[in-house]
Amino acid sequence: MGYSRQSLFSNAKAVFFATITAAILLFTGSTSSQSQVAPKLGYHVVHGWPVLPEGRVLGSVAGCAVDSHDNVFVFHRNERTWPDSDELSTVPIALPTVTLFDGRTGQVLAEWGENRFAMPHGLSVDRKDNVWVTDVALQQVFEFSHDGKLLLSVGERGVAGNDSAHFNRPTEVAVAPDNTFFVSDGYINTRVMKFTPTGAFLSQWGTKGNGPGQFDLPHSVTLDQMGRVYVSDRSNGRVQIFESNGKYIGEWKSKDIGRPYDVAIGLDGKAFIADGGDQPQAPPDRSGAVVVLADGSLEERFGRWGNYDGQFQLAHCIAVATDGSVYVGDIKGGRIQKFVRDGK
């Protein structure tokens, strides 16, 4: 059987286009398959965590930290709020202000701190599971056992000062492996102080300003496994990093990090930052949690401003557990939320 030149050309043309079409479908199908196999992971909120007793609320959540069992301490103000006058009462809050939650179930494991604190702020847990808190109205730093027994207090009750024996609205404590501890001090004093395990003053650094080693409201302090000191320099919108003797190392500052209120360091060296936003007179604002690599570069942000699950009115504290769970305290929203990686 014979074929014309025109029919041979038509057949070749059809084969050519069929081959190209198959190749395109194969490529796009492969790409789609790969995107389904390896989606970008992030964090999602755990709905229904924590579980509060009927009729109970936390009030303003100021501080949070995780103990060695991955249970979560929360330092909150119960029925007390920060007054518009900025005049802080030293009358103790009658109800419990420290609540311990089961990190897995969200159930309340313990409560204490009633009739003791006037304006709770920072909370941290050391390697012995002792609990350290600051009270910006009482002008004191306290160490408690895990079950709430007072072990140490530093500062003079209700008396502000800027010498080695007084604070002026101290914000948080970080404890080193040798049990020396650092205090970010704070709303009025712009310094970091270092003390012996028994509370004797050792050294300090920081003055008011925006240069290296200067602060404008050092709002939190934490340590990494190398002993480096991280300070949330809140009003300067940065995290400053120091050696344990106060020598300046560097800073993290970017629009992605925002305005750091608190920093927690994970076991893998990543930093978790609570960005409290800018508190404009009228909403909306910006608030969220930020994950930063060791070089200060952004890995991701999660959460945003709002009052639904997974959102924050003002993210004030942040903590990370050994299992990777992240806890964020919302001081305006009066709650603590748990976040885990997608797929968990």
Side-chain angles (χ1 to χ4, degrees), residues 6 58 64 81 99 157 159 171 181 186 210 226 241 251 254 278 312 315 343:
Q6 182 176 0
L58 289 176
C64 56
T81 58
T99 303
R157 179 185 172 86
V159 179
T171 51
F181 61 94
N210 57 16
M226 302 294 290
I241 308 166
E251 68 176 44
S254 72
D278 297 325
F312 318 106

Side-chain angles (χ1 to χ4, degrees), residues 86 139 160 168-170 185-191 208 217-218:
D86 202 38
Q139 310 289 6
N168 204 335
R169 299 190 177 181
D185 178 40
Y187 276 83
I188 308 299
N189 293 336
T190 51
R191 61 182 177 175
K208 180 81 169 182
L217 210 175

Side-chain angles (χ1 to χ4, degrees), residues 15-343:
V15 171
F16 173 80
F17 281 108
T19 303
I20 292 297
T21 301
I24 291 173
L25 290 173
L26 179 63
F27 176 79
T28 56
S30 175
T31 302
S32 175
S33 176
Q34 289 175 3
S35 65
Q36 291 174 5
V37 170
K40 182 179 179 181
L41 297 179
Y43 284 88
H44 66 269
V45 69
V46 177
H47 299 285
W49 193 104
V51 182
L52 287 168
E54 185 71 26
R56 288 291 307 279
V57 295
L58 289 176
S60 299
V61 173
C64 56
V66 178
D67 68 11
S68 65
H69 302 288
D70 277 354
N71 294 322
V72 185
F73 275 104
V74 172
F75 199 27
H76 59 99
R77 297 170 183 168
N78 225 302
E79 79 280 3
R80 183 158 297 172
T81 58
W82 194 293
D84 292 337
S85 67
D86 202 38
E87 297 292 329
L88 303 182
S89 171
T90 58
V91 176
I93 299 168
L95 298 173
T97 51
V98 178
T99 303
L100 178 63
F101 293 100
D102 185 304
R104 184 179 61 84
T105 67
Q107 297 286 338
V108 173
L109 298 177
E111 289 187 289
W112 46 270
E114 61 273 19
N115 295 307
R116 181 177 290 277
F117 304 110
M119 187 56 73
H121 200 272
L123 181 148
S124 56
V125 178
D126 66 21
R127 289 164 178 78
K128 297 181 291 184
D129 272 347
N130 291 332
V131 180
W132 296 75
V133 298
T134 64
D135 191 309
V136 292
L138 299 182
Q139 310 289 6
Q140 289 179 296
V141 168
F142 302 95
E143 177 190 12
F144 291 89
S145 65
H146 194 271
D147 58 356
K149 295 181 176 65
L150 181 63
L151 303 177
L152 177 70
S153 63
V154 184
E156 186 176 357
R157 179 185 172 86
V159 179
N162 61 4
D163 57 24
S164 62
H166 294 85
F167 305 105
N168 204 335
R169 299 190 177 181
T171 51
E172 197 173 48
V173 180
V175 183
D178 64 0
N179 297 319
T180 59
F181 61 94
F182 300 82
V183 178
S184 49
D185 178 40
Y187 276 83
I188 308 299
N189 293 336
T190 51
R191 61 182 177 175
V192 173
M193 305 174 74
K194 185 177 182 179
F195 296 87
T196 69
T198 58
F201 174 77
L202 286 173
S203 62
Q204 68 176 43
W205 71 87
T207 57
K208 180 81 169 182
N210 57 16
Q214 295 182 317
F215 303 109
D216 191 358
L217 210 175
H219 196 258
S220 77
V221 60
T222 193
L223 307 176
D224 66 13
Q225 295 190 42
M226 302 294 290
R228 290 171 295 209
V229 183
Y230 296 73
V231 182
S232 298
D233 189 7
R234 186 181 111 179
S235 294
N236 280 326
R238 63 184 178 178
V239 175
Q240 292 197 71
I241 308 166
F242 303 89
E243 295 180 1
S244 61
N245 61 4
K247 182 180 178 181
Y248 176 81
I249 296 175
E251 68 176 44
W252 299 334
K253 182 181 177 72
S254 72
K255 63 180 180 61
D256 293 317
I257 289 175
R259 192 173 300 281
Y261 272 60
D262 193 21
V263 180
I265 308 296
L267 293 178
D268 57 2
K270 293 178 183 177
F272 296 78
I273 299 172
D275 173 14
D278 297 325
Q279 299 89 58
Q281 291 186 350
D285 195 4
R286 178 204 70 252
S287 193
V290 188
V291 186
V292 174
L293 301 178
D295 63 358
S297 60
L298 177 74
E299 181 173 85
E300 65 180 289
R301 281 184 66 102
F302 60 91
R304 62 182 178 88
W305 185 83
N307 58 9
Y308 292 105
D309 277 6
Q311 301 177 350
F312 318 106
Q313 292 186 49
L314 199 168
H316 195 269
C317 66
I318 194 164
V320 57
T322 58
D323 66 2
S325 300
V326 180
Y327 300 89
V328 183
D330 185 345
I331 197 165
K332 283 189 176 180
R335 59 180 178 168
I336 182 85
Q337 296 185 81
K338 178 179 180 177
F339 295 82
V340 297
R341 294 289 282 179
D342 294 342

